Amino acid sequence: MKKIVLLIQVLCIISLGAFTGAMTMLYTAVLSFWKKAPPEDFLNWYSDYSSGITTTTGPLVVLSIILPLICIFLVVKIPKSRVYWIISFLFCAGIMVITMNYFVEVNSSFANKSIELSFIKETLNTWGKLHIIRILMAFVSSVFAGAGMITYLSKNE
């Protein structure tokens, strides 16, 4: 059973790292492309290709919420490890709160081209600032997940 618990923790950390990496790629490569494109071209691109971003990152989002939650219960008898996993989960939950309260609506306005062209530059700047916060939260979540796993390992040697 200990090997399965460890395996799930490792998969969680890998998923959190991949999620952080995917969001970093969106920020460094894709956002700069969006900002340089004329507003009409950006909306056309987003309308055509945003579903690919969602399809690619969607599973990472789901794993980044479910796996830390599972890890909380798997290490329930090791309080210090459990605290680290709770913190990791809370950072992921925070990412979801930001996503649901800002990104879903804004991304939809991009996809269905309902945003005023004059607001695109300002909206992309805000999008980038909030996205940096999500990246940092995912990174911190990964660090706490790692601490949770290390604590688990130190109690189960």
Side-chain angles (χ1 to χ4, degrees), residues 33-122:
F33 165 72
W34 292 346
K35 285 180 172 184
K36 290 177 184 172
E40 300 88 359
D41 292 348
F42 159 69
L43 290 179
N44 288 332
W45 184 97
Y46 197 92
S47 177
D48 290 343
Y49 298 107
S50 65
S51 64
I53 295 170
T54 305
T55 301
T56 305
T57 60
L60 295 173
V61 171
V62 172
L63 290 173
S64 294
I65 283 292
I66 292 173
L67 289 175
L69 188 59
I70 290 170
C71 289
I72 292 168
F73 293 103
L74 291 176
V75 302
V76 74
K77 293 182 180 179
I78 304 171
K80 189 173 180 182
S81 180
R82 185 179 66 235
V83 167
Y84 287 133
W85 282 108
I86 289 170
I87 295 169
S88 175
F89 171 75
L90 290 175
F91 274 102
C92 289
I95 293 167
M96 295 309 121
V97 168
I98 293 169
T99 300
M100 299 309 290
N101 285 311
Y102 179 79
F103 286 92
V104 169
E105 182 180 337
V106 169
N107 291 350
S108 293
S109 75
F110 293 157
N112 62 29
K113 302 178 185 179
S114 63
I115 187 171
E116 295 263 345
L117 294 178
S118 61
F119 294 131
I120 289 178
K121 182 177 181 171
E122 178 184 333

